[in-house]
């Protein structure tokens, strides 16, 4: 749902529905990353035990996260796909503990499997974040139509194991725009109402591809869907500032400001407080 406002700080006003509540995205929201994996690319995001997991969730909520995104498999470059059974084992207990401890926060599940999506929603999750954009599971769109929960539609070229091996496009923006248009049309035919687009920074894109997408981000609003960006501490930042993931927060904040100025509605982040402050600064700047 979109209302155009030329004076809006964030270029377009959207909302999505979760549990009968209308989530206003006219001021951008934050999605905190909760990794349930032993091998995510940013080591500090890994949780050692249930106590650490719940403490991390509490911290992110207190710092201003609207969503927590639970991922039970690693999608870092070079990562191997895990089995459905392993994903389920990693996810289910953590989801139940987080849902019971923090009943008000909105939980997104990072999965490309429709069976995991259905299980997670039945266990109290609120949305599905699919890195494959529906390409890895032919039943995902039909499942999302049945569940009627928000669907984060990401673009990825290839699969995590090989996606960063010399990715090529004739024009990265027009190819991803066409992919989004095709997938949105299919979702609309199924009756899926709330679709959020994620260009998939770092997922089958070179450094130049990533910054071209960031520069042209606002043009995706022609598809009439809110935009999520996942830039946090990624290689596209590390390579420019010549730092590793542990030292990439300042560069991440700079990239978040660029994304916000170009119309991002949701920032998917490891560091909620810093992202919240970036949103506050851009909001104040644009309203002067």
């Amino acid at each position: 749902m979109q209302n155009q406002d030329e004076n809006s700080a964030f270029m377009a006003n959207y909302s999505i529905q979760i549990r009968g509540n209308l989530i206003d995205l006219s001021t951008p929201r934050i999605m905190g990353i909760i990794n349930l994996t032993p091998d995510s690319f940013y080591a500090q995001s890994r949780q050692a035990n249930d106590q650490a997991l719940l403490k991390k969730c509490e911290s992110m909520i207190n710092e201003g996260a609207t969503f927590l995104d639970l991922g039970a498999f690693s999608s870092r470059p070079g990562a191997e796909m895990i089995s459905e059974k392993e994903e389920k084992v990693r996810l289910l207990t953590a989801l139940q503990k987080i849902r019971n401890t923090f009943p008000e926060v909105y939980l997104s599940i990072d999965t490309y499997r429709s069976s995991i999506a259905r299980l997670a929603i039945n266990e109290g999750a609120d949305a599905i974040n699919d890195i494959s954009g529906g390409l890895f599971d032919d039943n995902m769109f039909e499942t999302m139509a049945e569940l009627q929960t928000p669907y984060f539609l990401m673009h990825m070229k290839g699969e995590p194991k090989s996606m960063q091996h010399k990715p090529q496009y004739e024009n990265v923006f027009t190819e991803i725009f066409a992919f989004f248009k095709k997938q949105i049309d299919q979702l609309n035919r199924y009756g899926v109402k709330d679709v959020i687009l994620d260009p998939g920074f770092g997922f089958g894109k070179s450094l130049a591809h990533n910054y071209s997408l960031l520069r042209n981000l606002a043009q995706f609003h022609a598809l009439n869907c809110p935009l999520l960006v996942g830039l946090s501490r990624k290689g596209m930042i590390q390579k420019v500032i010549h730092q590793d993931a542990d030292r990439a927060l300042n560069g991440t904040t700079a990239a978040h400001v660029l994304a916000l100025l170009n119309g991002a509605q949701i920032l998917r982040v490891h560091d909620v407080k810093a992202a919240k402050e970036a949103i506050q600064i851009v909001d104040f700047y644009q309203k002067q």
Side-chain angles (χ1 to χ4, degrees), residues 3 39 81 84 105 149 185 213 217 259 273:
N3 297 311
D39 57 346
M81 298 292 196
E84 181 177 346
V105 73
T149 56
D185 286 347
L213 287 172
L217 191 66
K273 185 175 183 290

Side-chain angles (χ1 to χ4, degrees), residues 167-186:
Q168 295 183 4
Y169 302 82
E170 288 189 14
N171 182 299
V172 65
F173 173 80
T174 57
E175 187 169 325
I176 294 174
F177 189 96
F179 168 78
F180 280 155
K181 179 68 166 60
K182 178 181 178 181
Q183 301 304 87
I184 291 168
D185 286 347
Q186 290 185 38

Side-chain angles (χ1 to χ4, degrees), residues 28-172:
R29 302 287 185 138
I30 296 169
M31 175 182 283
I33 299 169
I34 300 294
N35 284 318
L36 307 175
T37 64
D39 57 346
S40 56
F41 81 91
Y42 176 42
Q44 297 302 315
S45 69
R46 303 169 193 166
Q47 310 306 319
N49 52 52
D50 289 347
Q51 184 178 1
L53 172 67
L54 294 176
K55 185 177 180 180
K56 182 67 172 180
C57 292
E58 182 178 28
S59 175
M60 286 186 163
I61 293 166
N62 289 340
E63 289 174 352
T66 299
F67 309 91
L68 297 180
D69 191 42
L70 281 57
F73 67 96
S74 176
S75 55
R76 62 178 171 76
E80 298 280 352
M81 298 292 196
I82 65 171
S83 69
E84 181 177 346
K85 180 180 179 181
E86 179 67 17
E87 184 180 359
K88 179 180 176 180
V89 167
R90 290 181 184 178
L91 176 65
L92 195 55
T93 300
L95 169 58
Q96 291 168 341
K97 288 181 181 295
I98 295 168
R99 178 79 293 159
N100 290 335
T101 308
F102 307 105
E104 298 303 316
V105 73
Y106 298 117
L107 299 180
S108 169
I109 304 301
D110 185 356
T111 187
Y112 56 83
R113 292 182 167 112
S114 61
S115 59
I116 297 292
R118 186 184 301 278
L119 174 67
I121 297 301
N122 289 338
E123 291 293 333
D126 301 296
I128 299 301
N129 182 12
D130 181 2
I131 64 168
S132 81
L135 295 185
F136 288 0
D137 187 331
D138 291 340
N139 295 319
M140 180 62 86
F141 287 3
E142 184 176 359
T143 300
M144 292 310 306
E146 294 173 10
L147 298 172
Q148 282 300 315
T149 56
Y151 178 65
F152 294 87
L153 169 67
M154 199 190 83
H155 174 273
M156 174 171 57
K157 196 177 186 74
E159 58 184 49
K161 183 178 181 179
S162 59
M163 64 187 178
Q164 288 304 100
H165 181 64
K166 298 181 180 179
Q168 295 183 4
Y169 302 82
E170 288 189 14
N171 182 299
V172 65

